[in-house]
Amino acid sequence: MASIKDVAAQAGVSVATVSRVLNSHPSVSPDARRRVLAAVEALGYRPNAVARSLRTDQTRTLGLVISDVLNPYFTALARSVEEEARGLGYSVIIGNADERPEQQDHHVRTLLDRRIDGLLVSPADGESPLLLDVARTGTPMVFVDRWIPGVDIPVVRADGHRAIQDLVAHLYALGHRRLAIIAGPAATTTGNERVEAFREAMRAHGLALPDAYIGQGDFQADSGRRATERFLALPEPPQIVFAADNLMALGALDAIRARGLRVPEDIGIAAFDDIPWFVHTGPPITAIAQPTGDLGRAAVRALIDIVEGRPPQSVTLPARLVVRSSCGERTSTPGSNE
Amino acid sequence: MASIKDVAAQAGVSVATVSRVLNSHPSVSPDARRRVLAAVEALGYRPNAVARSLRTDQTRTLGLVISDVLNPYFTALARSVEEEARGLGYSVIIGNADERPEQQDHHVRTLLDRRIDGLLVSPADGESPLLLDVARTGTPMVFVDRWIPGVDIPVVRADGHRAIQDLVAHLYALGHRRLAIIAGPAATTTGNERVEAFREAMRAHGLALPDAYIGQGDFQADSGRRATERFLALPEPPQIVFAADNLMALGALDAIRARGLRVPEDIGIAAFDDIPWFVHTGPPITAIAQPTGDLGRAAVRALIDIVEGRPPQSVTLPARLVVRSSCGERTSTPGSNE
DNA sequence: AGTAGCCGTGGAATCGATTACACGCATGAT
DNA sequence: ATCATGCGTGTAATCGATTCCACGGCTACT
């Protein structure tokens, strides 16, 4: 592969001049520029990003560590992150933590070894001294979706309070009183927050949230299945199961079907996170949609603000309720999307 | 951030010795090794991968360019690729082409600029002189899922012939005779191949595949919707719509619902590519499952074989039919998964 | 005419690693 | 005692870029 020396030789100039042409430095004669460009073309020369990064101490690369690539919510997020970053001249390396702290740490370490310019993290459940350390050392960093409390790092996330209030009001209006929730891991901020908002919204309607109606999940389908089985085994099972993420909702659906029950006639389902497939499930699932695209874009902009020395900003965007037919809604066109 | 010089100073040795310790070179005294390790620990030193790559001319990074991250088939593939690569000590940078050749080329170029050790590509529809060029220059490269005919590059893919035969036999046994297919882009190998296998399997049962029963799709949901609308408008619509990928099947489902028709009573659906959500759709969709995990692993191994100078091997793995209930099957437990 | 200043250019240092080569010292064979 | 061998170590070249500094030549001003 041709290097800058080859180009210099071919163009009959020094490497310094080649570099200047490539970085559009003003003081290069038109003639030299022409010869360099011709040589670049002739040799099919492409600058070595590795060498450039070593010298300039910047890679124009962002790291994104997410908790589960197979979760459509995170793929959508990853996609918008990459898109925005590309638009701003950055590349993105994605690390999949699979909800495992050690794997998360592995990716963080690898990304740091590669000297990425900034890190976008949606921290997995569990302690991570490493992450705290990285934050302290001043590596540009932004939390997306989930965050670690007590650390001074900008957070870009969706606020579900209002949407959860809307959901509870919607369920209440449909006549449902016994509402259960499948929570996320206690250690994740999103996990706790959603339960609290749910509890509060129920209280506003004079409803209690008994412990038996709080299932412990881990954001994976299987945990949703197990929690739901436990609900169904109760002497008085809930009328609605609200899952704190999309995968657990699918698990809940499985558990209900396995029992031979029907949704929504026997029991209703709602979910946090809306995904395209919820339109096609039987029945289409009522869900709370996060503005994934905006979230990803805002996160990238906040991170690049830090990288380029501007003051960063935490961003909170509202989520919104999308009513379908999994909670006993009477709709004329079931499964209609917006 | 501490560099190898700082470690050397702290340990009272030269950088060469530090490097030897870090690369477990044999001739280092136990004493020096101990001091270096202590210094590394004390400084929290991590080798700069950028500098190392510049010197050794290898990044221990693989590039993966896929056509659509939002497609669960490709996310599953990406996940297994990353997993296998990580196990072998490589990182993976994923580029999402979004089925757009120019975006694919952008990623290929960026990855090459970063001097990745090898490239895994599932080429998007359309010409890409760049890709051909890269192949010629000897960059280690392997095609996954799709490939470009006439180029001497190993291909790792699933063979759907047998599964498609099974599918057609299954449909025939259920009494269906008018079978339609929504094809992928003509320029993709997977697109053509699936249509041809389908046509052949039908012929084996004495059935014809009229042109009106071949819809042109682009592997996106919307095209599946449009193709299906056209089928439904036919004087004699098909009894089954077979989509050449999962997204188009979802589009087909939409179109059928929008017409107020029921699946499978009025018209049946089958799909190439099985995804977890097909269990939860209404009704669960009969599909052809690819061994995604094996595909990803085999692709990584083939690529690393090239990278490390071993003779690579093309791999073809069989896909298999997963019967559910979207084609009028009478099942006792609809939606059961395996 | 002499000099100050600017412009285009090249030489060389630098980033942080790896590694070929040389050197000093101890050991063992002769 | 002498010399070959080998081990542990350090010096310095190298990878491919960027960029500071200096230099030569030209213009323009006094």
Side-chain angles (χ1 to χ4, degrees):
Chain A
M1 201 154 245
S3 86
I4 196 172
K5 270 188 210 151
D6 304 317
V7 176
Q10 169 104 359
V13 297
S14 73
V15 294
T17 299
V18 176
S19 176
R20 279 190 274 259
V21 171
L22 263 29
N23 296 286
S24 38
H25 186 97
S27 71
V28 175
S29 70
D31 182 53
R33 156 165 288 111
R34 202 174 332 105
R35 297 215 312 282
V36 168
L37 260 18
V40 165
E41 181 70 22
L43 297 169
Y45 169 76
R46 298 240 81 211
N48 183 328
V50 175
R52 187 199 297 250
S53 293
L54 177 61
R55 184 58 236 249
T56 60
D57 201 34
Q58 50 158 325
T59 49
R60 293 200 77 84
T61 302
L62 270 22
L64 169 65
V65 178
I66 55 180
S67 8
D68 181 8
V69 252
L70 297 187
N71 186 327
Y73 166 71
F74 284 114
T75 21
L77 190 67
R79 184 206 151 114
S80 69
V81 163
E82 196 274 334
E83 232 164 46
E84 181 73 6
R86 179 153 33 84
L88 295 168
Y90 284 78
S91 296
V92 176
I93 305 186
I94 302 172
N96 175 30
D98 236 347
E99 304 280 3
R100 307 214 311 258
E102 52 322 332
Q103 199 162 310
Q104 166 183 287
D105 285 2
H106 165 88
H107 281 119
V108 170
R109 233 185 303 268
T110 311
L111 291 168
L112 256 33
D113 286 354
R114 282 166 200 268
R115 300 299 191 265
I116 47 148
D117 293 341
L119 194 57
L120 240 35
V121 194
S122 174
D125 187 16
E127 299 291 302
S128 175
L130 173 65
L131 217 49
L132 266 35
D133 234 56
V134 172
R136 250 193 305 278
T137 60
T139 306
M141 186 162 150
V142 166
F143 287 132
V144 220
D145 184 55
R146 310 179 188 173
W147 71 97
I148 298 178
V151 187
D152 185 29
I153 293 286
V155 179
V156 172
R157 65 189 195 95
D159 181 8
H161 274 90
R162 182 58 194 275
I164 289 178
Q165 281 170 25
D166 291 349
L167 172 67
V168 171
H170 168 73
L171 297 173
Y172 192 90
L174 288 169
H176 302 304
R177 295 296 178 268
R178 301 194 309 280
L179 315 180
I181 185 169
I182 307 176
T188 58
T189 45
T190 41
N192 279 321
E193 215 186 32
R194 289 170 195 174
V195 175
E196 282 322 308
F198 193 64
R199 189 199 305 280
E200 198 183 300
M202 285 182 68
R203 189 162 35 225
H205 286 86
L207 302 175
L209 179 59
D211 282 351
Y213 280 9
I214 304 180
Q216 257 316 312
D218 60 5
F219 286 145
Q220 296 294 309
D222 229 31
S223 69
R225 193 172 294 125
R226 284 192 304 270
T228 306
E229 279 160 6
R230 228 164 291 132
F231 289 152
L232 295 176
L234 252 28
E236 193 170 48
Q239 297 164 298
I240 296 288
V241 174
F242 172 51
D245 94 327
N246 61 66
L247 262 23
M248 297 192 298
L250 254 15
L253 195 54
D254 269 3
I256 293 169
R257 288 234 183 109
R259 270 260 188 157
L261 300 174
R262 291 158 310 157
V263 177
E265 292 82 353
D266 299 314
I267 184 166
I269 283 190
F272 205 101
D273 287 349
D274 189 26
I275 56 172
W277 285 270
F278 279 173
V279 179
H280 303 97
T281 48
I285 295 181
T286 293
I288 291 176
Q290 297 194 49
T292 338
D294 294 332
L295 244 29
R297 281 185 286 275
V300 169
R301 281 196 304 265
L303 183 56
I304 293 187
D305 278 346
I306 306 181
V307 170
E308 300 184 349
R310 290 182 296 273
Q313 232 176 328
S314 285
V315 177
T316 305
L317 266 23
R320 65 176 215 296
L321 177 65
V322 178
V323 173
R324 297 211 178 84
S325 51
S326 61
C327 296
E329 298 90 343
R330 256 137 312 198
T331 51
S332 40
T333 53
S336 83
N337 206 354
E338 43 166 329
Chain B
M1 199 153 244
S3 86
I4 196 171
K5 270 188 210 150
D6 304 316
V7 176
Q10 169 103 0
V13 298
S14 72
V15 294
T17 301
V18 176
S19 176
R20 280 190 274 258
V21 171
L22 264 27
N23 296 288
S24 36
H25 185 97
S27 72
V28 175
S29 71
D31 183 52
R33 157 165 287 113
R34 203 174 332 105
R35 299 215 312 282
V36 168
L37 259 19
V40 165
E41 182 70 21
L43 296 170
Y45 169 75
R46 300 240 81 211
N48 184 328
V50 174
R52 187 197 298 249
S53 293
L54 176 60
R55 183 59 234 253
T56 61
D57 201 34
Q58 50 160 326
T59 49
R60 292 202 76 84
T61 301
L62 270 22
L64 169 64
V65 179
I66 55 181
S67 9
D68 181 8
V69 253
L70 297 186
N71 186 327
Y73 166 70
F74 284 114
T75 27
L77 189 68
R79 183 206 151 112
S80 69
V81 163
E82 196 275 334
E83 233 163 46
E84 181 74 7
R86 177 152 36 83
L88 295 169
Y90 284 78
S91 296
V92 176
I93 305 186
I94 302 172
N96 175 31
D98 235 347
E99 304 281 5
R100 307 215 311 259
E102 49 330 326
Q103 198 162 309
Q104 165 183 288
D105 284 2
H106 166 89
H107 281 121
V108 170
R109 233 186 305 267
T110 311
L111 291 167
L112 256 33
D113 286 353
R114 285 172 197 260
R115 300 300 192 264
I116 47 148
D117 293 342
L119 194 57
L120 241 35
V121 195
S122 175
D125 186 18
E127 299 291 303
S128 175
L130 173 66
L131 216 50
L132 266 36
D133 233 56
V134 172
R136 250 193 305 278
T137 61
T139 305
M141 187 162 151
V142 166
F143 287 132
V144 218
D145 184 56
R146 310 180 189 173
W147 71 96
I148 298 178
V151 187
D152 186 29
I153 294 285
V155 180
V156 173
R157 64 189 196 96
D159 180 9
H161 275 90
R162 182 58 194 276
I164 288 178
Q165 281 168 27
D166 290 349
L167 172 66
V168 170
H170 168 72
L171 296 173
Y172 192 91
L174 288 170
H176 301 303
R177 295 295 177 269
R178 299 194 310 279
L179 316 179
I181 185 168
I182 307 177
T188 59
T189 44
T190 41
N192 279 324
E193 212 186 34
R194 290 172 194 172
V195 176
E196 281 322 307
F198 192 65
R199 187 198 306 279
E200 197 183 304
M202 285 181 69
R203 189 162 35 224
H205 286 86
L207 303 177
L209 179 58
D211 282 350
Y213 280 9
I214 304 181
Q216 256 315 313
D218 61 5
F219 285 146
Q220 297 294 306
D222 230 30
S223 70
R225 193 172 295 124
R226 283 193 304 271
T228 306
E229 278 159 9
R230 228 164 293 132
F231 289 151
L232 296 176
L234 252 29
E236 192 169 50
Q239 297 164 298
I240 297 286
V241 173
F242 172 51
D245 93 329
N246 62 66
L247 262 22
M248 297 193 297
L250 252 16
L253 195 54
D254 268 3
I256 294 171
R257 289 234 183 109
R259 270 260 188 158
L261 300 175
R262 288 157 311 158
V263 177
E265 292 83 352
D266 298 315
I267 184 165
I269 283 190
F272 205 102
D273 286 348
D274 189 25
I275 56 171
W277 284 270
F278 279 173
V279 178
H280 303 97
T281 47
I285 295 181
T286 292
I288 291 176
Q290 297 194 48
T292 337
D294 296 331
L295 244 28
R297 282 186 285 274
V300 169
R301 282 196 302 266
L303 183 55
I304 294 187
D305 278 346
I306 306 181
V307 170
E308 301 184 349
R310 290 183 296 271
Q313 232 175 330
S314 284
V315 176
T316 304
L317 267 22
R320 67 176 213 296
L321 178 64
V322 177
V323 173
R324 297 212 178 84
S325 52
S326 60
C327 297
E329 299 90 344
R330 258 137 310 199
T331 52
S332 40
T333 54
S336 81
N337 206 356
E338 43 166 327

